[in-house]
Amino acid sequence: MVNIVLFGPPGAGKGTQAFLLKKKYDLVHISTGEVFRHHMAEKTELGLLAKSYIDKGELVPDDVTIHLLEKEVASFPNAKGFIFDGFPRTVTQAEALDAFLEKQSLKVNAMISLEVEEDILVKRILERGKTSGRSDDVNEEKIRNRFAEYYKKTAVLKDYYSKKNKYFGVEGVGSLEEVTERLCQLIDKL
Ligand code: AMP
């Protein structure tokens, strides 16, 4: 079983790459952002709560997000492994994930970060916003706030996983295939 955290700032290509990797390695892809958007579309209580944060480009509170993630993982009892996309985003979430996996004698094998410069990312997200239907993709101020949240709360996870020798950086600029190839080379060695 291999569990991978796909990491990187908003717009780095985590979702796109996770979609390709899950097929190649037969893994379950869990994107907390996608699960929140599903709840928002269904207008569930959780969806309405998440929307109040997501619309401002803020992170959804840890307790809500951790509970959601654990429920998602538990709903795939026969998974051969997971690709976590957009989770963890805080140290509290990373600690909760470790504890949760440990209870099942599992672990995070690697955090792989897609490294892309911020200016390229903002352009990518605004471009994506033309078709994604995501309210947080269309407004530059909201996008900048997502980066502020990333640098304030999420970027520290590089240290968290580096200390465990589980952090790997990958150049996230290039064609889709080139980036996938870089990721596969790394995953094949895990
Ligand atoms: P994403 O699709 O990963 O870009 O996530 C979109 C938005 O959902 C983020 O900007 C956050 O508001 C929220 N979100 C997704 N994952 C998390 C998480 N692990 N912790 C807190 N908020 C999250």
Side-chain angles (χ1 to χ4, degrees):
M1 181 144 180
V2 62
N3 296 307
I4 296 166
V5 172
L6 211 51
F7 186 69
K14 301 185 291 289
T16 310
Q17 292 297 335
F19 182 76
L20 298 167
L21 295 174
K22 76 165 182 185
K23 285 202 267 184
K24 181 166 160 95
Y25 294 98
D26 195 13
L27 301 173
V28 173
H29 171 206
I30 297 184
S31 155
T32 38
E34 278 297 324
V35 182
F36 283 136
R37 282 189 286 279
H38 175 76
H39 277 274
M40 281 157 63
E42 299 287 315
K43 296 196 167 56
T44 65
E45 201 178 319
L46 172 66
L48 294 175
L49 175 80
K51 187 172 166 40
S52 67
Y53 294 93
I54 291 175
D55 270 356
K56 288 184 272 181
E58 288 174 11
L59 293 187
V60 178
D62 281 336
D63 52 345
V64 177
T65 310
I66 290 166
H67 179 68
L68 175 96
L69 187 277
E70 293 185 353
K71 239 175 90 182
E72 280 295 307
V73 172
S75 69
F76 295 98
N78 300 319
K80 290 193 182 150
F82 292 90
I83 302 182
F84 299 107
D85 155 16
F87 187 98
R89 263 180 157 102
T90 64
V91 172
T92 305
Q93 290 180 16
E95 287 169 350
L97 180 62
D98 279 346
F100 176 67
L101 291 176
E102 210 173 293
K103 267 193 266 164
Q104 302 161 66
S105 304
L106 300 173
K107 62 177 180 180
V108 169
N109 298 79
M111 169 193 253
I112 308 180
S113 173
L114 289 170
E115 296 169 343
V116 186
E117 244 178 73
E118 180 168 331
D119 282 346
I120 298 180
L121 292 171
V122 174
K123 280 194 206 121
R124 271 194 197 174
I125 295 173
L126 286 169
E127 196 53 41
R128 180 173 76 185
K130 291 179 188 166
T131 53
S132 70
R134 286 178 54 171
S135 61
D136 58 346
D137 274 354
V138 285
N139 173 310
E140 186 155 346
E141 198 184 316
K142 286 180 190 177
I143 296 171
R144 294 277 176 203
N145 200 40
R146 285 161 66 195
F147 282 100
E149 287 279 82
Y150 176 79
Y151 291 116
K152 194 162 68 187
K153 300 173 183 167
T154 308
V156 288
L157 292 180
K158 178 175 178 175
D159 286 347
Y160 182 90
Y161 286 98
S162 292
K163 280 185 192 138
K164 299 174 189 282
N165 293 321
K166 289 183 181 175
Y167 179 88
F168 303 89
V170 164
E171 167 73 58
V173 183
S175 71
L176 205 80
E177 295 78 15
E178 280 165 354
V179 178
T180 311
E181 181 53 33
R182 287 174 205 146
L183 291 168
C184 292
Q185 277 183 14
L186 228 160
I187 296 170
D188 288 341
K189 284 191 222 134
L190 290 177

